[in-house]
């Protein structure tokens, strides 16, 4: 376990005992194909000089605060490995729970080909690709403003074998005529939701490396993206269609109220594995009072 201990020693100061151990095992597994059992048996000591040099170089980047997922160029999500880079948000475990919630709700749909799903702000494509893989036959579309993100998402869809249509769209811009002809069964989004004032409580590796445009909203407008997406969803969802969000737990009541304003009912929130209100769902039922006269 000599190489493992060397790697772990580089991370202790920044990450502490437990996380340093996890990062070291992750590096050896993803970069060298060595599982925990292999390391315990001392197989890391048989790595050649080039492999050790590469590992040490990666460890130095991580020790300086670069997220291990960016260093490896990959992150696990819903049972698959996704390519990631600084231009996209690193997929989180709580977002897996959002995907699972949707899949549970839609799994009993007899004709999967009747499902038309939209992921807004797709980033790495982790939500859209996972839905397309799990709900075979469903028509899945994904939007993002970033061309870099869309290229990464397309690469992930191809690697995992998921059929997703990607479009470059700014969700804060008006809907196009083409958009208005679409009718979706469900829309999902994990939009930016962290207020600027929350920066002080965040880890350095997130602040310095992950794209701020995918994380932050103004303190005076925390529901900026939720309002834009909810209004659009009310125009392009089928009657009875569902809108799913990952949310800032600080604003769960406000998000629910916003959704009701735009004609959504049966509002339901779910807590994540950390017991925080992290997801919300609403069903679109009919005329939207907020849109009358527009």
């Amino acid at each position: 376990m000599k190489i493992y201990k060397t790697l772990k020693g580089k991370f202790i100061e920044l990450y502490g005992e437990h996380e340093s151990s996890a990062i070291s095992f992750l590096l050896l597994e993803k970069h060298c194909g060595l599982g925990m059992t292999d390391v315990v048996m001392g197989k890391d000591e048989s790595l050649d000089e080039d492999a050790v040099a590469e590992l040490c170089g990666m460890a130095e980047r991580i020790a300086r605060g670069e997220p291990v997922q960016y260093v490896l160029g990959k992150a696990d999500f819903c049972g698959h490995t996704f390519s990631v880079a600084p231009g996209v948000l690193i997929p989180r475990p709580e977002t897996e729970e959002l995907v699972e919630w949707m899949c549970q709700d839609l799994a009993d749909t007899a004709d999967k080909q009747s499902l038309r799903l939209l992921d807004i702000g797709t980033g790495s494509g982790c939500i859209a690709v996972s839905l397309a893989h799990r709900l075979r036959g469903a028509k899945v579309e994904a939007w993002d403003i970033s061309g870099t993100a869309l290229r990464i998402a397309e690469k992930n869809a191809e690697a995992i074998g998921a059929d997703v249509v990607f479009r470059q769209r700014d969700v804060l811009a008006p809907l196009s005529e083409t958009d208005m002809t679409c009718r979706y069964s469900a829309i999902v989004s994990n939009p930016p939701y962290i207020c600027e004032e929350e920066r002080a409580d965040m880890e350095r590796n997130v602040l310095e490396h992950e794209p701020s445009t995918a994380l932050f909203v103004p303190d005076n407008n925390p529901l900026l993206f939720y309002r834009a997406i909810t209004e659009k969803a009310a125009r392009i969802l089928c009657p009875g269609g569902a809108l799913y969000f990952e949310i800032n737990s600080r604003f769960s009541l406000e998000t629910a109220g916003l959704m009701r304003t735009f004609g959504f009912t049966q509002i339901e929130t779910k807590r994540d594995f950390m017991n925080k209100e992290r997801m919300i769902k609403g069903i679109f039922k009919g005329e939207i009072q907020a849109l009358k006269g527009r």
Side-chain angles (χ1 to χ4, degrees):
M1 300 178 67
K2 182 178 178 181
I3 304 302
Y4 161 78
K5 290 179 179 178
T6 299
L7 295 174
K8 184 178 175 181
K10 292 180 180 291
F11 309 139
I12 285 287
E13 183 176 350
L14 183 61
Y15 290 106
E17 178 76 21
H18 178 74
E19 194 167 357
S20 295
S21 180
I23 292 171
S24 301
F25 279 125
L26 184 64
L27 273 180
L28 288 162
E29 178 190 357
K30 296 296 186 182
H31 191 66
C32 302
L34 297 178
M36 187 178 297
T37 302
D38 296 318
V39 176
V40 171
M41 293 174 63
K43 292 186 178 180
D44 58 324
E45 296 184 33
S46 63
L47 293 171
D48 61 40
E49 291 183 4
D50 289 342
V52 172
E54 288 178 1
L55 282 170
C56 289
M58 297 168 81
E60 290 295 338
R61 291 168 61 187
I62 295 166
R64 291 195 296 268
E66 190 171 349
V68 62
Q69 294 91 343
Y70 287 159
V71 173
L72 287 167
K74 61 187 74 172
D76 291 335
F77 186 87
C78 286
H80 296 283
T81 299
F82 284 78
S83 293
V84 294
V88 298
L89 199 66
I90 295 167
R92 261 65 173 187
E94 52 268 39
T95 309
E96 292 184 282
E97 297 184 69
L98 177 62
V99 171
E100 187 61 34
W101 190 13
M102 289 189 70
C103 288
Q104 288 175 357
D105 285 351
L106 300 172
D108 291 335
T109 305
D111 179 14
K112 294 296 190 297
Q113 293 184 348
S114 69
L115 291 175
R116 184 164 188 170
L117 312 178
L118 173 62
D119 173 25
I120 297 179
T122 196
S124 67
C126 61
I127 293 177
V129 170
S130 298
L131 289 172
H133 188 269
R134 287 277 298 275
L135 302 169
R136 291 290 186 181
K139 297 177 179 65
V140 181
E141 187 174 324
W143 297 356
D144 204 286
I145 192 173
S146 166
T148 299
L150 289 172
R151 286 189 291 274
I152 293 171
E154 288 172 347
K155 177 181 176 181
N156 284 323
E158 182 178 356
I160 292 169
D163 187 9
V164 180
V165 175
F166 294 98
R167 297 178 61 196
Q168 188 165 14
R169 291 297 316 276
D170 179 0
V171 73
L172 298 181
L175 289 169
S176 69
E177 291 185 10
T178 301
D179 296 328
M180 294 296 289
T181 65
C182 299
R183 286 296 177 265
Y184 298 96
S185 312
I187 295 174
V188 60
S189 184
N190 176 19
Y193 61 65
I194 302 171
C195 292
E196 290 286 346
E197 65 186 11
E198 296 179 81
R199 282 180 179 267
D201 299 323
M202 296 179 66
E203 299 292 337
R204 194 188 86 193
N205 60 339
V206 174
L207 291 173
E208 294 181 359
H209 296 280
E210 296 199 57
S212 60
T213 54
L215 291 168
F216 295 105
V217 287
D219 293 336
N220 63 355
N221 196 4
L223 300 184
L224 170 65
F225 289 94
Y226 294 92
R227 176 173 292 277
I229 294 168
T230 302
E231 180 173 355
K232 288 175 174 60
R235 294 177 182 273
I236 59 179
L237 271 171
C238 297
L243 175 61
Y244 296 81
F245 281 123
E246 184 171 320
I247 62 172
N248 187 330
S249 58
R250 293 174 59 195
F251 302 107
S252 61
L253 291 177
E254 292 86 345
T255 306
L258 173 68
M259 294 173 73
R260 290 190 185 94
T261 298
F262 284 96
F264 288 84
T265 62
Q266 301 177 50
I267 308 295
E268 181 182 356
T269 59
K270 274 188 178 288
R271 293 181 179 271
D272 63 16
F273 64 96
M274 295 181 289
N275 201 34
K276 290 186 176 181
E277 285 192 320
R278 186 62 66 197
M279 295 154 275
I280 194 167
K281 175 182 77 171
I283 305 299
F284 180 61
K285 285 296 185 183
E287 188 177 22
I288 317 96
Q289 185 174 1
L291 296 182
K292 286 183 178 179
R294 293 193 184 185

